[in-house]
Amino acid sequence: MKLTIVGTGYVGLVTGACLAEVGNDVLCLDVDPAKIAILQGGGIPIHEPGLQEMVRRNAAAGRLRFTTDVDEAAAFGTLQVIAVGTPPGEDGSADLQYVVAAARAIGQRMNDYKVIIDKSTVPVGTADRVKAAIAEELARRGVEIPYAVVSNPEFLKEGAAVEDFMRPDRIIVGSDDERATLLLRALYQPFQRNHERLIVMDVRSAELTKYAANAMLATRISFMNELANLAERLGADIELVRKGMGADPRIGYHFLYPGVGYGGSCFPKDVKALRHTASEHGMTLKVLTAVEQANAEQKQVLLHKVVKHLGEDLRGRHFALWGLAFKPNTDDMREAPSLAIIEGLLARGATITAYDPVAMEESKKLLGDKIAYAKSPLAALGQADALLIVTEWKEFRSPDFDTIRQLLKQPLVIDGRNLYDPKLMRELGFDYDAIGR
């Protein structure tokens, strides 16, 4: 199949590369010439395991191309996949200007049947807006060309996006057009060889499914974080509680890990957008209001622990910070808990040296020279009053504890990801403070 992907961010680039990988002919469009230049040069503008190799392989095979030419892109694909950003507005609503602009660009140029696929995470009713925008452009041109608009939300985890696309647990298609549904069934056939993963539903239900899934995951995280804070006061160990809960198949083990709050480009934005959608329809989503509030407070938990150990005035204090990205295997720092922690430490007069395997360049764009950076985890520790662990990168799991103790001014480790055994840490001579333990 011939596909045009509009937008080369996380969703667009992963979608384009994975669809090319199974033999489709894919043209990726972006209005940012710098981004397209990187892609045409064999690089990728984001960190995502396995993606660069896949992009290079399919570009070399001629199945994956990149352009800034809107005319070429609109003419190319029978399937036009809209995967542009939907940043949150001031009121929490999803900003649809880029989605609607992409739809209008297609409507202004299309000359034959097109299926416009909403891949971006968009509020319920967006497909209707896309359909109306295209209809307006066709009417302005005085032409009648058949087209369909379908919802096909992505369920990709940053850091595992390629694997998630190639081995999906479900493929949601919201469509009321039989021809479009058949085309999408054909498109996704290579990804569901062993059993049917494609679920067809009406467009509005598909749009809501994406928000509902992310809101549920965010709810589990905030719930566990609140339980962890309670466990700490009760003298219980949340890690043991987590195992006891997860053993119940109705609950399961996924997304039961307490920590320093969720971040990234999805959960914070989608929870806000879903709450905004509800308020537009005269409803308050009380559970999600609490989820958001609990998450904002959880991002301060590490800071409260620092103050508990070292006092409110941190002038003259220096901290080592392990982890900047909002989660491992990505350089994404959008809404990252590290930013709230750094802001709180700096406001109290502290200095910071941070290490992250891939997010330090991204951090420098956001923070400039407000903090220092180290070339390795151990290099960050010199003269630090405490080590703060913010992101659970694998390389932090089995460090050289003897060297850590020697390098720190005092053996204080405040662990926001519960990486270590508290009993072992005490035996090694550390003052170890984790979440809910």
Side-chain angles (χ1 to χ4, degrees):
M1 286 192 181
K2 285 189 169 184
L3 297 104
T4 294
I5 312 282
V6 185
T8 59
Y10 271 98
V11 175
L13 191 54
V14 171
T15 300
C18 291
L19 289 172
E21 179 79 359
V22 296
N24 294 294
D25 199 357
V26 179
L27 180 64
C28 293
L29 168 73
D30 205 291
V31 293
D32 183 349
K35 206 183 257 190
I36 293 298
I38 291 169
L39 289 162
Q40 288 175 338
I44 60 171
I46 55 175
H47 177 86
E48 186 61 43
L51 182 59
Q52 182 155 5
E53 297 81 359
M54 186 179 277
V55 167
R56 285 179 177 170
R57 184 165 62 245
N58 286 283
R63 291 189 299 266
L64 182 61
R65 294 182 297 117
F66 305 98
T67 186
T68 55
D69 186 335
V70 181
D71 292 340
E72 182 191 9
F76 184 77
T78 300
L79 304 184
Q80 299 270 328
V81 182
I82 297 178
V84 295
T86 52
E90 294 272 318
D91 58 358
S93 63
D95 183 347
L96 295 177
Q97 62 169 314
Y98 305 114
V99 171
V100 174
R104 288 195 182 281
I106 295 164
Q108 287 158 7
R109 295 166 174 82
M110 60 188 272
N111 291 313
D112 52 9
Y113 176 76
K114 301 285 184 192
V115 178
I116 293 85
I117 300 169
D118 284 338
K119 200 77 173 157
S120 304
T121 301
V122 291
V124 176
T126 299
D128 294 338
R129 286 186 63 178
V130 167
K131 195 178 278 188
I134 293 171
E136 280 173 29
E137 296 302 332
L138 293 176
R140 196 170 287 142
R141 291 166 58 195
V143 294
E144 283 189 24
I145 302 169
Y147 68 96
V149 178
V150 303
S151 172
N152 175 219
E154 52 82 19
F155 296 94
L156 307 175
K157 298 185 294 292
E158 287 187 39
V162 170
E163 176 70 12
D164 286 347
F165 198 103
M166 298 304 289
R167 300 171 185 273
D169 41 27
R170 80 282 208 197
I171 300 161
I172 303 293
V173 173
S175 170
D176 53 16
D177 182 287
E178 196 174 329
R179 186 177 171 189
T181 304
L182 285 170
L183 283 169
L184 265 81
R185 280 192 185 279
L187 178 70
Y188 283 114
Q189 195 54 43
F191 302 95
Q192 44 176 1
R193 296 293 297 279
N194 58 352
H195 68 91
E196 180 75 24
R197 293 184 172 91
L198 196 125
I199 304 169
V200 180
M201 57 183 74
D202 64 277
V203 174
R204 285 182 168 241
S205 295
E207 289 171 332
L208 182 56
T209 297
K210 167 66 183 189
Y211 280 108
N214 276 357
M216 181 67 196
L217 296 174
T219 300
R220 282 174 73 109
I221 292 169
S222 278
F223 178 72
M224 283 306 289
N225 283 335
E226 288 213 298
L227 274 189
N229 298 338
L230 177 62
E232 214 165 287
R233 294 192 180 194
L234 296 175
D237 185 341
I238 194 64
E239 290 297 322
L240 299 175
V241 174
R242 174 179 69 76
K243 289 171 185 170
M245 288 170 65
D248 184 332
R250 295 169 302 174
I251 297 170
Y253 292 103
H254 293 297
F255 280 80
L256 289 188
Y257 292 91
V260 287
Y262 60 76
S265 63
C266 295
F267 291 0
K269 178 168 70 77
D270 293 355
V271 169
K272 278 189 176 70
L274 192 52
R275 287 184 58 214
H276 180 81
T277 297
S279 71
E280 283 187 319
H281 291 79
M283 268 185 76
T284 300
L285 296 181
K286 300 179 190 70
V287 171
L288 285 189
T289 303
V291 165
E292 204 169 49
Q293 186 184 343
N295 191 60
E297 290 172 11
Q298 196 67 18
K299 288 182 177 182
Q300 303 297 319
V301 162
L302 234 58
L303 211 53
H304 297 326
K305 289 179 179 292
V306 168
V307 169
K308 179 183 78 180
H309 288 278
L310 301 173
E312 189 71 40
D313 184 357
L314 298 175
R315 284 175 297 185
R317 298 287 194 180
H318 183 67
F319 294 92
L321 197 82
W322 282 4
L324 291 162
F326 85 93
K327 63 184 271 191
N329 299 321
T330 180
D331 61 351
D332 197 341
M333 287 192 61
R334 285 174 285 186
E335 305 272 347
S338 63
L339 294 173
I341 293 161
I342 288 167
E343 185 186 333
L345 292 172
L346 294 177
R348 289 166 175 79
T351 55
I352 301 161
T353 298
Y355 170 78
D356 187 287
V358 302
M360 291 195 287
E361 287 307 311
E362 200 58 35
S363 176
K364 285 171 189 173
K365 290 179 200 169
L366 296 170
L367 298 170
D369 57 0
K370 289 181 183 174
I371 67 171
Y373 299 92
K375 288 187 172 151
S376 71
L378 293 178
L381 299 174
Q383 295 305 298
D385 290 282
L387 165 61
L388 311 183
I389 299 172
V390 183
T391 314
E392 65 278 32
W393 286 95
K394 280 182 182 169
E395 65 185 89
F396 302 157
R397 290 184 185 176
S398 297
D400 182 343
F401 289 113
D402 288 339
T403 305
I404 291 173
R405 201 174 59 250
Q406 287 163 19
L407 289 170
L408 289 172
K409 264 193 204 170
Q410 51 191 316
L412 174 57
V413 175
I414 302 176
D415 182 358
R417 297 296 180 181
N418 290 357
L419 294 187
Y420 312 128
D421 180 338
K423 185 167 175 284
L424 174 68
M425 293 298 280
R426 282 195 300 273
E427 286 172 2
L428 291 170
F430 286 98
D431 187 356
Y432 179 69
D433 197 344
I435 306 287
R437 309 190 79 177

